Amino acid sequence: MALHPLIENFRQAGQGQVFAFFDELTPEAQRHLLAEAAEFDLAEIARLTATLLAPGAVAGVNLAGLAPAPYEPLPTQGGDAAAWAAAKATGEAALRAGRVAAFTVAGGQGTRLGYDGPKGTFPVTPLKQKPLFQVFAEKIRAAGIRYGRPLHWFIMTSHQNHAATVTFFEERSYFGLDQGRVHFFRQGRMPAVDFSGRILLETKGTIALSPDGHGGSLRALERSGALDLMQREGIDTLSYFQVDNPLVRCVDPAFIGWHVLRGSQMSSKMVPKAYAEEKLGHFCTQDGHLVVVEYSDLPMAMQRETTADGQLRYLAGSIAIHVLDREFIRRVARGGAGIELPFHRADKKIPTVDAAGQPVKPEKANGVKFEMFVFDALPFAENPLVIETSRADDFSPVKNAEGVDSPQTCRDDQLRQFARWLRAQGARVETDPTGRPVAGLEVSPLFGYDEDSFAEAWKKHSPPPAVSDGLYLS
Ligand code: UTP
């Protein structure tokens, strides 16, 4: 019998092992394996093997000509208050005109948190235990009401968590959002390979596939038709954030306004690094481009460098909040003309099968996963822009089960934010020295989702509610 052309291609590319057990599979399992094998580009795998797996390929990034990137400081940090006010007004106008959509990348595997289920379903608020997705849904709904234009929300899932994510929204009636404006799509996958570039099987009939990184979101936006939908709806600006950060301003008018006024194609928020060793990427310039250099790639001596006034020289930390132009995304997604989002290698323990088809659970890294990072699009953007944000009002991710960036630290940061909003309105709130209220509190995003909207809602309350344990403002 003639060999299936795909199998022939794999053999010719030196990847015949993918079909080593093909004859043992049921016809349905064979179809499944062929479908998986058709998902990715063998030439791309060969290129990545040649560039990322060759001896000496892990030499690290090129640091020549690297310098700290400039950024727009907050008015409280010496920035131009009038320019920030103008940016905010511009952003609000864009929101009122329906030009902006929200975008959450939720395709990660969340291994560090170790939670069973899509990370967006993780309960995160201090009193009501609202899941991450609900926090964003309510912020997005409230912003739509505030600006008189309900927002579209794009959510990128993975093959692994797609069905569970959609079901979660369906079972909860989309948290009050218009279902027609919530759009789910899956990101792409890449096969894992061993250290010589041979694609690994997960079982006899499945390839070891994993999500292609948050940078895969740009390709997935194009491939899924999301960009066309945006175009039809008159949306030209996408507000990008990660699924693990409930503090994020999902659509921040000042940020959107800066992006629009500067004619930027991709803009990013920074926070000053809290200490030299903090694990954040660094905004830098190199050869006239804006780049992010990961903490693992910037030598510690450089991370510790200080300026004459004692401040960290590489101060601007990336918190993965961006605004992107629709047509810029399309250009990067299509690639060509010198534009290509690079893949990075991550050495991992990859469950696989041995030559006899028996399962192998490796004790140490046995192969490589390939991932793209969204910030690698920055060097291709015209007029890229970095603005400062206050960490307390934009960034407290849930990454780990315990310790830094954990559910506990995130709850505490939410509580501190609620306390600040209340105090700014003159409410009496008892706090500990870190600003965390002694009482348990929660503010629903539907009441207030930032300081301004909270202030407006508070002023409508007469008399204002007393702050006591268990206060839930909704
Ligand atoms: P992280 O880098 O924190 O990875 O993702 P992760 O997979 O969620 O968690 P770990 O490293 O396994 O513990 C940052 C953001 O990028 C998304 C995640 O869902 C999260 O919002 N992401 C990451 C994707 O959407 N796709 C990916 O392939 C990787």
Side-chain angles (χ1 to χ4, degrees):
M1 204 174 70
L3 212 50
H4 190 287
L6 197 63
I7 302 179
E8 189 55 44
N9 287 348
F10 271 66
R11 288 207 174 154
Q12 279 176 14
Q15 300 285 11
Q17 77 285 353
V18 168
F19 296 98
F21 308 101
F22 194 70
D23 295 341
E24 298 176 31
L25 304 176
T26 63
E28 197 193 333
Q30 289 184 338
R31 274 195 297 279
H32 180 86
L33 181 58
L34 284 167
E36 282 193 352
E39 245 181 64
F40 50 87
D41 178 2
L42 280 176
E44 187 163 64
I45 305 299
R47 245 186 347 264
L48 295 176
T49 300
T51 51
L52 295 178
L53 300 188
V58 247
V61 298
N62 171 19
L63 300 173
L66 207 65
Y71 63 87
E72 216 44 69
L74 283 167
T76 51
Q77 305 301 317
D80 178 345
W84 275 84
K88 187 170 161 195
T90 302
E92 286 176 336
L95 284 158
R96 277 195 292 271
R99 286 177 54 192
V100 184
F103 178 36
T104 309
V105 284
Q109 293 175 306
T111 28
R112 283 171 289 172
L113 184 60
Y115 168 68
D116 190 19
K119 207 170 185 180
T121 67
F122 184 77
V124 76
T125 66
L127 282 189
K128 298 288 173 186
Q129 300 291 311
K130 290 182 187 173
L132 284 153
F133 278 136
Q134 182 172 359
V135 175
F136 305 134
E138 292 184 353
K139 288 186 180 190
I140 288 167
R141 198 173 137 205
I145 294 167
R146 185 175 169 88
Y147 296 111
R149 282 297 279 257
L151 288 142
H152 283 266
W153 183 17
F154 295 91
I155 300 172
M156 184 177 81
T157 61
S158 65
H159 282 69
Q160 223 172 355
N161 70 21
H162 184 84
T165 303
V166 176
T167 304
F168 189 75
F169 275 78
E170 281 171 353
E171 286 175 353
R172 289 158 186 79
S173 306
Y174 287 73
F175 304 105
L177 289 168
D178 169 5
Q179 184 180 339
R181 287 173 192 267
V182 183
H183 314 283
F184 302 95
F185 59 90
R186 272 178 253 234
Q187 70 178 106
R189 298 191 283 189
M190 287 292 279
V193 299
D194 69 12
F195 292 115
S196 56
R198 284 157 56 88
I199 294 168
L200 290 167
L201 285 176
E202 188 180 26
T203 65
K204 287 180 179 183
T206 54
I207 298 172
L209 291 164
S210 54
D212 58 1
H214 43 67
S217 63
L218 304 184
R219 285 181 179 185
L221 280 161
E222 156 86 344
R223 207 186 296 138
S224 66
L227 297 181
D228 293 336
L229 194 151
M230 285 172 67
Q231 190 162 4
R232 285 197 301 278
E233 294 288 324
I235 299 163
D236 56 16
T237 306
L238 200 60
S239 180
Y240 171 109
F241 55 92
Q242 300 191 332
V243 76
D244 52 21
N245 177 22
L247 235 51
V248 69
R249 279 181 277 215
C250 300
V251 285
D252 176 354
F255 186 30
I256 293 161
W258 274 113
H259 174 87
V260 171
L261 287 173
R262 286 285 180 85
S264 164
Q265 292 185 326
M266 180 168 176
S267 306
S268 306
K269 280 188 177 175
M270 66 72 90
V271 295
K273 280 180 74 177
Y275 47 94
E277 298 78 15
E278 191 179 15
K279 292 181 172 175
L280 293 179
H282 306 82
F283 287 109
C284 299
T285 53
Q286 190 171 42
D287 300 330
H289 298 293
L290 181 63
V291 296
V292 170
V293 181
E294 284 189 276
Y295 60 84
S296 46
D297 286 331
L298 195 66
M300 197 38 84
M302 288 173 80
Q303 297 196 43
R304 293 195 176 128
E305 264 179 52
T306 50
T307 55
D309 57 4
Q311 204 176 47
L312 288 177
R313 183 156 179 261
Y314 290 92
L315 184 68
S318 171
I319 51 171
I321 303 175
H322 309 282
V323 170
L324 297 108
D325 271 11
R326 184 193 69 222
E327 290 312 304
F328 172 67
I329 299 171
R330 208 189 294 277
R331 191 157 63 85
V332 176
R334 289 191 178 163
I339 296 182
E340 196 181 343
L341 226 52
F343 276 93
H344 300 254
R345 77 179 259 185
D347 296 8
K348 300 265 179 183
K349 289 183 241 172
I350 299 154
T352 183
V353 291
D354 63 18
Q358 293 305 307
V360 177
K361 278 228 171 293
E363 310 247 294
K364 58 183 179 62
N366 60 326
V368 171
K369 289 185 178 180
F370 298 116
E371 285 194 339
M372 288 179 278
F373 300 151
V374 76
F375 54 72
D376 280 329
L378 281 168
F380 304 116
E382 280 169 30
N383 308 319
L385 169 76
V386 181
I387 69 160
E388 182 177 10
T389 189
S390 122
R391 184 189 293 253
D393 285 317
D394 242 331
F395 187 58
S396 184
V398 178
K399 297 279 186 199
N400 306 303
E402 283 174 358
V404 283
D405 296 341
S406 65
Q408 181 65 50
T409 56
C410 182
R411 261 194 299 276
D412 289 350
D413 287 337
Q414 292 172 69
L415 285 166
R416 289 189 191 98
Q417 184 181 55
F418 301 146
R420 281 196 309 279
W421 290 351
L422 282 156
R423 279 186 161 167
Q425 297 312 309
R428 283 166 56 103
V429 189
E430 203 188 326
T431 63
D432 70 10
T434 71
R436 193 184 61 182
V438 176
L441 306 171
E442 188 165 326
V443 178
S444 167
L446 297 171
F447 182 90
Y449 61 92
D450 60 12
E451 194 165 346
D452 286 357
S453 55
F454 181 84
E456 281 170 23
W458 184 261
K459 290 193 174 89
K460 286 188 197 144
H461 258 276
S462 175
V467 177
S468 58
D469 196 29
L471 175 69
Y472 176 56
L473 291 169
S474 62

